[in-house]
Amino acid sequence: MPSVETPDVSSIDPTLDLFAEIDRLRKEKKAIILAHYYQDPDIQDIADHLGDSLDLAKRARDAKEAEVILFCGVHFMAETAKILNPSKTVILPDLDAGCSLAEQCPPEQLRAWKAKHPDHFVVMYINCSAGTKAESDMICTSSNAEAIINSVPKDRPILFGPDKNLGAFLIKKTGRDMDLWPGACMVHETFSSQKIIKLKAQHPGAQFIAHPECEDHVLLLADFVGSTSKLLQYVQEDAGKQYIVGTETGILHTMKKHAPDKELIPVPYEDRSAACQGCNSCPHMKLNTTEKIYLALRDLKPQIHMPEELRQRARLPLDRMLAIS
Ligand code: 13P
Ligand code: SF4
């Protein structure tokens, strides 16, 4: 269902130079533009800061001069910005930019799960709503998840959600006793190990690098597993020449910029017969467009709002995460 605030891009004068207008408006409104690596290349290029979920949360928290934070990402990211920096006007170009993980673990279901496991420590992946964060003891991102799990007192069993794939990866890495919420990312769970094996055979010199939101059978094939920023860093610093990239396709734009001499092969790769031709593209992230960014800056909406009591409860587990990140 489209939200009531779906921007009307048909009202935009087609002769406008949108990039010049966005630039003018960002200065006029004292706005900072934060963008995730999964945004379209044009959006990545106009951002003041580009990053993974953790970098962007810190940028939002530390945005002192700006009056407006324009978040080019998905709803939970913009909500996190508002939780961490509530005096700013936080706008998201399209309020319908959700996340399959966030949708799969609403706060009332987490409350019921906690009630069955009263002794457990609750770590939730940042890909969840403010309401779900407010029910958690600690938040993590894919960049800091291992350190966060290792920081939980050794005598406490852990409830981890909403991503069962990241959770299973963390159990292997840390050896901790964790119960997993059965959520998954709609993009990363479509990657097929058979296609990756085929790609590896076609490109014997290539390394396969993957995001930990991928399923276990995919991660077993990976030469390196990491968050978006860690994948980017790996491609830049590693001595290899070819990489099969197991994450959302948007990041290839910045990888190419920072490592122009490397060959990057997206998963799935040029398989025109595949039913999931666009399945490495996140439909939520891709709801943001330059037209919607222009409207959001011009009208300062759609804005992120939440009750103050909820914001304060959601802030606690985020602050605990940031204290050790
Ligand atoms: P990171 O950029 O933090 O690795 O997260 C990936 C993701 O799926 C964001 O929704
Ligand atoms: Fe959510 Fe997956 Fe899209 Fe990230 S890529 S925003 S986890 S649906």
Side-chain angles (χ1 to χ4, degrees), residues 36-38 51-56 74 76-77 98-99 101 125-127 140-144 163 185 187-188 211-213 226-231 247-248 251 282 285:
H36 189 267
Y37 294 120
Y38 295 166
D52 69 7
S53 310
L54 181 63
D55 300 329
L56 295 175
V74 291
F76 77 82
M77 295 178 171
C99 168
L101 279 167
Y125 190 30
I126 198 164
N127 298 37
C140 73
T141 76
S142 51
S143 279
N144 61 18
D163 189 349
C185 162
V187 178
H188 291 86
H211 195 280
E213 287 173 14
S227 64
T228 51
S229 55
K230 288 191 178 154
L231 296 178
T247 192
E248 210 272 357
I251 198 167
C282 173
M285 287 278 181

Side-chain angles (χ1 to χ4, degrees), residues 257-273:
K257 265 191 174 174
H258 290 280
D261 55 330
K262 307 280 171 105
E263 187 187 349
L264 306 170
I265 303 153
V267 176
Y269 176 63
E270 293 291 316
D271 182 359
R272 299 281 162 212
S273 63

